[in-house]
Amino acid sequence: MTGDNLLGLPETRLPFEPEVVDALDRATSTDDIAAVAAKFPTSSLAWARLAEATFDPANPITGYAYARVGYHRGLDALRKAGWRGQGPIPWNHTPNQGVLRSLYMLRKTADAIGEADEVARLTDFLRDADETAVARIETESLPSEPQPSTEAFFIRGQD
């Protein structure tokens, strides 16, 4: 038994989706991401990215719908991989990140529409899956700090 896994449940590790990752890496717009989700409808990563791309706090329903699909597709994938409703889903296993991102986005959009019970349930789910997932998602989505310009300029005047 390792870490906080007091029940000794095995970690669930989803299979890699190289085609999905490659297609998402090439996507340059929300329409491109939607096309990836349409081409790979069982991928929770594609749906999570679509939920992220469409999230609007003033109108969260579209992001909520995409996150809900990603959540259900993620549950299907977890069950297929042997998950029985509990146990670790480690963030550091990259293919698991689609499910965890879908859970995060569903929690975020549920909060935006005021669905407090679902927010609490998803908070517990994320914590039980991997205590670091929320912090990692939030840290990577922070805007990078502006870097000082390396451009030099001179002001020339008359003596």
Side-chain angles (χ1 to χ4, degrees), residues 18-82:
E19 300 88 5
V20 175
V21 172
D22 185 49
L24 288 169
D25 285 348
R26 288 191 319 270
T28 59
S29 69
T30 302
D31 288 342
D32 291 346
I33 298 169
V36 174
K39 184 174 182 179
F40 302 101
T42 62
S43 173
S44 59
L45 178 60
W47 291 105
R49 291 291 187 189
L50 191 53
E52 292 167 351
T54 60
F55 178 69
D56 175 1
N59 187 14
I61 295 301
T62 300
Y64 180 86
Y66 292 140
R68 172 71 60 193
V69 173
Y71 164 81
H72 284 289
R73 292 302 190 151
L75 290 178
D76 292 344
L78 289 169
R79 289 183 188 114
K80 187 175 180 181

Side-chain angles (χ1 to χ4, degrees), residues 2 5 8-14 81 83 87-90 92-93 96 129:
T2 61
N5 185 1
L9 297 169
E11 293 181 343
T12 301
R13 294 177 173 268
L14 295 175
W83 184 74
I89 306 164
N92 62 7
H93 181 66
N96 291 352

